[in-house]
């Protein structure tokens, strides 16, 4: 059977000036779309076991393509785009006709991916940008460049993550700081700057997506994973807090937390939903094989 996609906090967004109105729905994925992307979780000491792909039914895939039209030629920022999930997400968005700023500390791989996307004739554009996400000045400089060259950010996908094998009893302070700076602070800074970019341009249908991990929902019995897991629990709390603050601000900007495995296809699905629908959280789990 195809894996089940579990949707949490799927809300009907209130009209401007209204608060309230929510519902919960479940989605069971059926037949796979031929173009579905299969991406594994980012390697880390705490994300264990084989990955499985989210398979979106062909009818859903067709709906996603239609729903993505409103994003064509708009700008998405993808952090950690030099490989793995980030690269897959950047490619998927370029295929949908978006301008994508893909950032990482080294941009060689992103430049290669940009050339591949151009050669393939994808309707969007991938723009490589070097940014050390552990440095706030680098982040602010990146947003300033996006503002001056491309107007601003409409979608922010916080994908970059860092894992160090530093235990709670004997880990290094520098290792803890590295994980906290990238997994928590950089995500929060990018979120703040993306929201401000949307607000100053009166963008009321933007989307902020945090790529999390199942380690943000469980603590595995491996000492090298415990501090990393704490940073991912923080991402879970930050996303829910962001969702609440956006509602308080009476904006239709949405916030979603995704736990891999097939993040690229899940992001396309989330972005394709109508502006009044809020998908707060998606988790994917494989079903048992039926013979």
């Amino acid at each position: 059977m195809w894996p089940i996609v579990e949707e949490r906090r799927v809300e009907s967004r209130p009209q401007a000036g209204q608060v309230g109105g929510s519902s919960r729905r479940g989605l069971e994925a059926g037949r796979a779309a031929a173009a579905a992307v299969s991406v594994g979780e980012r390697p880390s000491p705490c994300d264990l076991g084989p990955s499985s792909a989210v398979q979106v039914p062909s009818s859903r895939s067709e709906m996603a393509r239609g729903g993505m039209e409103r994003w064509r030629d708009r700008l998405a920022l993808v952090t950690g785009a030099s490989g793995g999930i980030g690269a897959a997400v950047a490619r998927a968005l370029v295929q949908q006709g978006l301008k994508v700023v893909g950032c990482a500390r080294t941009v060689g791989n992103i430049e290669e991916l940009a050339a591949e996307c151009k050669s393939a004739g994808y309707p969007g554009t991938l723009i490589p940008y070097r940014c050390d996400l552990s440095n706030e000045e680098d982040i602010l400089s990146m947003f300033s460049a996006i503002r001056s060259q491309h107007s601003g950010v409409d979608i922010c996908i916080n994908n970059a993550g860092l894992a160090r094998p530093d235990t709670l009893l004997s880990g290094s302070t520098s290792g803890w700081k590295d994980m906290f700076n990238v997994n928590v602070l950089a995500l929060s800074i990018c979120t703040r700057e993306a929201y401000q970019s949307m607000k100053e341009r009166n963008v009321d249908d933007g989307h902020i997506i945090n790529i999390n991990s199942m380690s943000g929902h469980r603590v595995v019995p491996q000492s090298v994973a415990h501090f990393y897991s704490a940073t991912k629990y923080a991402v879970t709390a930050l996303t829910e807090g962001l969702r609440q603050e956006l509602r308080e601000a009476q904006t239709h900007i949405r916030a979603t937390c995704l736990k891999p495995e097939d993040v690229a296809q899940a992001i396309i699905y989330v972005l394709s939903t109508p502006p009044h629908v809020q998908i707060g959280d998606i988790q994917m789990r494989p079903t048992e094989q039926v013979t």
Side-chain angles (χ1 to χ4, degrees):
M1 293 180 64
W2 298 117
I4 291 176
V5 179
E6 297 180 348
E7 295 183 34
R8 291 179 160 182
R9 293 194 303 275
V10 181
E11 305 173 359
S12 178
R13 299 287 291 192
Q15 297 298 318
Q18 295 181 347
V19 178
S22 64
S23 62
R24 293 173 181 264
R25 297 182 305 179
L27 168 66
E28 185 169 319
R31 294 180 303 159
V37 184
S38 178
V39 185
E41 284 199 55
R42 148 191 317 110
S44 79
C46 36
D47 294 327
L48 309 175
S51 64
S52 60
V54 174
Q55 303 291 342
V56 178
S58 57
S59 59
R60 290 282 182 181
S61 181
E62 291 166 4
M63 182 191 76
R65 284 194 291 272
M68 289 298 292
E69 285 300 316
R70 69 188 180 91
W71 295 114
R72 187 175 289 269
D73 296 325
R74 297 175 71 179
L75 190 133
L77 170 66
V78 180
T79 68
S82 60
I85 290 171
V89 169
R91 181 193 296 272
L93 293 178
V94 171
Q95 286 177 313
Q96 296 290 336
L98 280 77
K99 290 188 294 185
V100 179
V101 172
C103 75
R105 285 182 297 180
T106 56
V107 295
N109 289 347
I110 306 177
E111 290 171 344
E112 292 178 7
L113 179 58
E116 291 175 16
C117 291
K118 185 176 181 180
S119 297
Y122 296 154
T125 305
L126 177 57
I127 304 159
Y129 193 95
R130 185 196 175 282
C131 180
D132 181 355
L133 291 166
S134 66
N135 186 324
E136 182 177 11
E137 292 303 316
D138 262 25
I139 299 175
L140 298 180
S141 177
M142 175 177 65
F143 274 91
S144 178
I146 292 173
R147 181 183 298 108
S148 63
Q149 298 174 26
H150 307 285
S151 180
V153 173
D154 299 298
I155 299 168
C156 178
I157 300 175
N158 290 307
N159 165 73
L162 181 65
R164 294 274 190 262
D166 286 282
T167 68
L168 297 177
L169 296 181
S170 60
S172 67
T173 304
S174 62
W176 295 340
K177 286 182 176 179
D178 287 344
M179 286 184 276
F180 189 83
N181 285 340
V182 173
N183 299 352
V184 179
L185 284 183
L187 178 145
S188 299
I189 295 168
C190 287
T191 295
R192 179 190 67 200
E193 297 304 311
Y195 172 72
Q196 293 300 327
S197 174
M198 297 173 197
K199 184 179 178 181
E200 68 187 20
R201 294 176 296 122
N202 296 317
V203 172
D204 195 46
D205 66 340
H207 211 132
I208 298 169
I209 299 175
N210 293 332
I211 308 303
N212 203 346
S213 165
M214 288 310 299
S215 294
H217 297 268
R218 66 187 180 194
V219 179
V220 297
Q222 291 190 354
S223 58
V224 294
H226 292 158
F227 192 93
Y228 171 85
S229 184
T231 66
K232 290 302 181 178
Y233 266 82
V235 172
T236 301
L238 288 168
T239 307
E240 174 59 17
L242 173 63
R243 187 188 69 86
Q244 293 181 16
E245 290 191 25
L246 289 172
R247 287 183 68 85
E248 291 170 2
Q250 298 184 358
T251 175
H252 294 101
I253 296 170
R254 297 178 290 178
T256 300
C257 188
L258 293 180
K259 272 68 67 180
E261 285 120 357
D262 188 350
V263 173
Q265 191 69 9
I267 283 177
I268 298 301
Y269 171 71
V270 168
L271 290 174
S272 70
T273 57
H276 67 280
V277 174
Q278 162 73 31
I279 299 180
D281 188 90
I282 292 183
Q283 296 187 47
M284 288 80 84
R285 61 178 175 84
T287 60
E288 294 182 359
Q289 186 69 37
V290 177
T291 59

